[in-house]
């Protein structure tokens, strides 16, 4: 495909859409991480892979034994990088436009923008994002969770898709509502450009 679909995938705590704390995730949600892995890895065409694009800080936040994220082309953005093919699984890019240009001839089915906040904002500003896969998390405890990184998500700019469209888009067999894990309740949602 000449221009693969670009999708942001993010888990955010409502109502402020908090996504990070001190360079890490503010929560540990095992089932949410498994969903992230399945959805970003899955392709319809078995001869293709997906690309995951991330900021330098998010790359550094992934424990080294888990990166590069397997079975996906990992693209890392830094303003101090040269555009460079590191190996078959890792590319470096110095801009949003360059990251998309670099993966053009790489047999990529979908592009997932996996964070963090700065990268999400840069992609949204660029107008190149087609969809947002947003895991909407709610805290079921009184105690406030500490967060220092937030997603700028304006729901008025996006149309929420139906659950059947979410299932079709992700390729998941079924998607539960109000998943409970630790002190949180969450829902997987899909938003498309208005
Ligand atoms: P990012 O991961 O967005 O990385 C920011 C870095 O990316 C910048 O410092 C710069 O690297 C590079 N960069 C940014 N814009 C561009 C550009 N236009 N061109 C080239 N390079 C660019 O960092 P954040 O601090 O914003 O987010 C990290 C936080 O988000 C962490 O707490 C992490 O855990 C969380 N997170 C949460 C997710 C969730 O779903 N809840 C998902 C992913 C991350 P350099 O400084 O090297 O130039
Ligand atoms: C899994 C969290 C998540 N959910 C959703 N819906 N969208 C996302 N973009 C992300 C994310 C992310 C980046 C990230 C991955 C941050 C991180 O900070 C500590 C760790 C990981 C991570 C951790 C792993 O442990 C085992 O395998 C892992 C893969 C990624």
């Amino acid at each position: 495909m000449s221009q693969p679909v670009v999708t942001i995938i993010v888990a955010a705590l409502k109502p402020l859409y908090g996504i990070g704390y001190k360079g890490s995730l503010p929560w540990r949600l095992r089932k949410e991480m498994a969903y992230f892995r399945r959805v970003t890895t899955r392709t319809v065409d078995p001869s293709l892979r997906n690309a995951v694009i991330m900021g330098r800080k998010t790359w550094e936040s992934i424990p080294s034994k888990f990166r590069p994220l397997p079975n996906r082309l990992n693209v890392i953005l830094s303003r101090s990088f040269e555009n460079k093919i590191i190996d078959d699984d890792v590319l470096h890019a110095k801009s949003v436009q360059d990251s998309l240009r670099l993966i053009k001839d790489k047999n990529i089915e979908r592009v997932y923008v996996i964070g963090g906040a700065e990268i999400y904002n840069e992609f949204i500003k660029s107008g190149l994002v087609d969809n947002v896969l947003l895991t909407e998390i709610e805290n079921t405890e009184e105690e406030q969770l500490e967060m220092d990184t937030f997603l700028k998500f304006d729901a008025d700019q996006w149309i929420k898709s139906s659950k059947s469209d979410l299932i079709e888009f992700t390729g998941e067999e079924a998607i539960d509502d109000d998943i409970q894990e630790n002190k949180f309740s969450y829902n997987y949602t899909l938003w498309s450009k208005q």
Side-chain angles (χ1 to χ4, degrees):
M1 216 170 283
S2 57
Q3 273 294 77
V5 169
V6 177
T7 301
I8 282 179
I9 185 163
V10 58
L13 186 80
K14 293 216 283 188
L16 297 177
Y17 296 109
I19 66 165
Y21 183 63
K22 290 188 172 172
S24 193
L25 301 171
W27 46 74
R28 202 185 53 82
L29 298 173
R30 196 180 45 81
K31 285 183 281 184
E32 209 285 324
M33 186 165 283
Y35 167 85
F36 166 81
R37 175 182 47 73
R38 285 194 308 275
V39 170
T40 57
T41 305
R42 183 177 289 124
T43 59
V44 173
D45 182 338
S47 73
L48 302 178
R49 288 186 296 176
N50 295 324
V52 287
I53 301 183
M54 72 197 92
R56 191 260 307 162
K57 292 180 182 173
T58 292
W59 169 261
E60 288 175 353
S61 82
I62 301 173
S64 52
K65 60 174 183 271
F66 298 121
R67 66 184 203 222
L69 299 180
N71 308 116
R72 289 151 280 183
L73 177 61
N74 287 232
V75 183
I76 303 118
L77 276 171
S78 166
R79 294 190 179 87
S80 56
F81 282 168
E82 297 301 328
N83 294 328
K84 192 166 185 245
I85 299 169
I86 303 300
D87 58 39
D88 196 47
D89 301 317
V90 177
L91 303 183
H92 283 176
K94 62 175 163 50
S95 74
V96 165
Q97 302 289 338
D98 286 344
S99 69
L100 295 175
R101 231 173 12 80
L102 283 165
I103 61 183
K104 265 217 162 97
D105 57 346
K106 293 274 182 295
N107 298 136
I108 295 306
E109 188 166 285
R110 280 186 182 167
V111 173
Y112 285 104
V113 178
I114 68 162
E118 199 177 336
I119 293 304
Y120 292 139
N121 292 331
E122 292 279 319
F123 269 85
I124 290 171
K125 263 196 291 168
S126 78
L128 294 163
V129 179
D130 302 297
N131 305 292
V132 178
L133 279 171
L134 168 65
T135 303
E136 298 186 342
I137 306 175
E138 281 170 291
N139 190 345
T140 57
E141 293 233 319
E142 287 292 325
E143 197 186 331
Q144 294 288 306
L145 202 65
E146 292 229 75
M147 289 178 296
D148 59 18
T149 312
F150 299 86
L151 176 71
K152 285 184 196 159
F153 183 73
D154 177 7
D156 295 342
Q157 310 270 27
W158 301 89
I159 301 162
K160 191 174 179 171
S161 299
S162 64
K163 190 168 169 183
S164 64
D165 284 350
L166 168 65
I167 290 170
E168 177 172 280
F169 184 81
T170 57
E172 292 284 281
E173 205 158 304
I175 290 186
D176 291 339
D177 297 320
D178 304 320
I179 300 166
Q180 309 286 325
E181 215 176 353
N182 303 334
K183 300 154 183 178
F184 303 95
S185 173
Y186 56 91
N187 284 284
Y188 302 122
T189 67
L190 171 64
W191 302 73
S192 297
K193 220 173 214 161
Q194 181 68 273

